[in-house]
């Protein structure tokens, strides 16, 4: 078993997507994908960090035998259970006291959702007043949303549609690095499935643009940048001295979609949630 296969197996056992692990390691999703495919090897500091995140020794991570891994043939992995709440701050305080732990990623998610990790499982509180067309019908009496993740979202979408067991939405985009679809069960509960719909898409880590051939910026040595587009990055430097808020305002026009209910105000809110997850703007 290669190092990449070991990383993938332990990642999946811990319930982490490639995107989530990449965010925790402060690398790109493409880097994690290359490690798992055997196209690159993580630096020593990343191996040490993964051993801390996975709660295993570096020897266990690097030398783990195939006999220690139980393969899960089901493509679905339980990611999280969302609890949609009316009084967000009151609920956060309640669950912090009840679970005896502080929320994870509060700075990143603001007042939209927060996450608690218990025994490597996640429960998230979602602010009912701050949900824009996502997760559940606010008038529904059912306030729990199951979240599952898969490595290949498109294949899973086709599989679930073929089952013909409930209403299935098309694949939707919450923001460029998060795609999902919903399945409704017989009691009108929502099942959200997310995953690697954009496995081969590079997203500019400054403006969120999906980059294809010809869109990439250049590094100081003249080589192509895999992280930033040509409109944001040239010769190893960012073009313009924009602040985060200025960057958001200059990109709103690309996100407005009146036909689908995305007004300028909604676009601005989405960008304020999404841009801080990009490498250039992370604190």
């Amino acid at each position: 078993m290669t190092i990449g296969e070991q990383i993938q197996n332990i990642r999946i056992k811990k319930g982490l997507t490639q995107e989530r692990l990449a965010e925790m390691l402060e690398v790109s999703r493409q880097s994690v994908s290359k490690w798992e495919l055997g196209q690159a090897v993580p630096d020593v500091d990343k191996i040490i960090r993964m051993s801390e995140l996975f709660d295993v020794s570096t020897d266990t991570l690097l030398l783990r035998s195939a006999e220690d891994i139980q393969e899960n043939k089901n493509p679905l992995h339980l990611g999280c259970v969302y609890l949609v709440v009316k009084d967000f701050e009151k609920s956060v305080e309640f669950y912090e006291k009840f679970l005896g732990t502080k929320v994870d990623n509060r700075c990143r998610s603001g007042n939209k959702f927060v996450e608690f990790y218990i025994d490597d499982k996640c429960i998230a509180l979602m602010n009912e007043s701050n949900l824009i067309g996502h997760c559940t019908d606010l008038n529904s009496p059912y306030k729990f949303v199951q979240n599952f993740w898969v490595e290949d979202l498109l294949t899973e979408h086709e599989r679930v549609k073929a089952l013909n067991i409930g209403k299935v939405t098309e694949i939707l985009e919450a923001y460029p690095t998060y795609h999902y679809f919903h399945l409704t069960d017989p009691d009108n509960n929502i099942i959200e499935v997310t995953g690697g719909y954009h496995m081969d898409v590079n997203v500019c880590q400054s403006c969120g643009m999906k980059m294809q051939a010809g869109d990439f910026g250049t590094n100081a040595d003249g080589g192509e940048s895999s992280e930033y587009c040509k409109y944001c990055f040239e010769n190893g430097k960012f073009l313009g001295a924009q602040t985060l808020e200025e960057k958001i305002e200059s990109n709103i026009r690309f996100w407005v979609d009146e036909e689908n209910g995305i007004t300028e105000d909604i676009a601005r809110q989405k960008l304020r949630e999404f841009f801080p997850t990009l490498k250039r703007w992370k604190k």
Side-chain angles (χ1 to χ4, degrees):
M1 181 176 291
T2 66
I3 293 176
E5 290 171 334
Q6 293 162 350
I7 292 172
Q8 182 184 55
N9 276 289
I10 300 176
R11 171 180 63 79
I12 290 175
K13 183 178 179 181
K14 292 295 184 179
L16 299 173
T17 63
Q18 286 186 337
E19 288 82 357
R20 176 65 172 153
L21 178 59
E23 183 177 333
M24 296 169 80
L25 295 174
E26 297 186 336
V27 299
S28 68
R29 195 276 308 162
Q30 286 80 10
S31 293
V32 175
S33 177
K34 287 180 180 179
W35 297 341
E36 295 185 355
L37 292 173
Q39 297 174 352
V41 177
D43 295 335
V44 173
D45 64 318
K46 299 304 180 187
I47 292 175
I48 294 173
R49 179 60 179 145
M50 278 187 282
S51 74
E52 295 171 345
L53 293 173
F54 295 155
D55 194 25
V56 298
S57 68
T58 54
D59 284 346
T60 300
L61 180 64
L62 297 175
L63 304 176
R64 191 166 183 143
S65 66
E67 289 75 17
D68 294 331
I69 303 294
Q70 293 185 354
E71 294 188 7
N72 181 7
K73 299 300 182 182
N74 191 325
L76 286 171
H77 306 281
L78 180 62
C80 183
V81 174
Y82 299 146
L83 173 59
V84 183
V85 299
K86 290 185 178 297
D87 190 326
F88 186 65
E89 296 301 335
K90 183 177 181 179
S91 295
V92 170
E93 181 181 3
F94 173 89
Y95 278 95
E96 283 185 332
K97 291 180 179 179
F98 173 64
L99 299 174
T101 183
K102 293 294 184 180
V103 297
D104 185 75
N105 287 330
R106 180 61 182 265
C107 293
R108 177 176 63 86
S109 60
N111 67 344
K112 184 173 183 179
F113 73 94
V114 293
E115 300 171 337
F116 295 93
Y117 285 90
I118 303 293
D119 295 332
D120 295 323
K121 302 298 187 296
C122 178
I123 180 170
L125 306 183
M126 305 200 75
N127 188 348
E128 182 177 86
S129 64
N130 201 12
L131 297 179
I132 303 174
H134 186 55
C135 286
T136 187
D137 179 357
L138 299 184
N139 294 319
S140 170
Y142 305 101
K143 296 300 182 182
F144 279 97
V145 179
Q146 299 175 59
N147 168 261
F148 293 85
W149 63 270
V150 293
E151 300 284 6
D152 186 340
L153 188 62
L154 184 60
T155 298
E156 182 62 14
H157 187 242
E158 294 300 320
R159 184 188 77 85
V160 173
K161 286 198 299 183
L163 293 175
N164 195 30
I165 55 175
K167 180 181 177 182
V168 181
T169 69
E170 294 304 312
I171 294 177
L172 305 170
E173 180 181 275
Y175 45 81
T177 59
Y178 191 93
H179 293 80
Y180 67 97
F181 69 86
H182 285 166
L183 168 67
T184 305
D185 77 2
D187 289 307
N188 203 36
N189 296 302
I190 298 296
I191 299 169
E192 178 179 285
V193 183
T194 185
Y197 183 62
H198 52 285
M199 293 294 285
D200 298 318
V201 176
N202 289 76
V203 175
C204 175
Q205 293 298 302
S206 172
C207 69
M209 169 184 169
K210 294 179 181 178
M211 299 185 293
Q212 300 177 349
D215 293 331
F216 297 92
T218 53
N219 294 317
D221 61 3
E224 188 175 81
S225 170
S226 63
E227 295 183 317
Y228 300 107
C229 73
K230 62 184 180 182
Y231 305 107
C232 293
F233 200 70
E234 184 177 67
N235 296 326
K237 297 181 180 179
F238 291 111
L239 300 174
Q242 288 180 305
T243 64
L244 172 58
E245 193 62 28
E246 288 171 339
K247 193 67 173 177
I248 289 172
E249 291 301 318
S250 66
N251 278 267
I252 286 176
R253 65 184 187 278
F254 301 117
W255 286 62
V256 172
D257 185 355
E258 298 285 357
E259 291 185 1
N260 291 307
I262 307 299
T263 64
E264 183 175 308
D265 287 341
I266 291 176
R268 180 177 289 105
Q269 181 174 337
K270 284 180 174 290
L271 291 181
R272 284 175 175 168
E273 295 165 357
F274 171 51
F275 271 32
T277 70
L278 300 175
K279 182 176 179 178
R280 181 181 180 184
W281 309 110
K282 280 185 177 180
K283 295 182 179 180

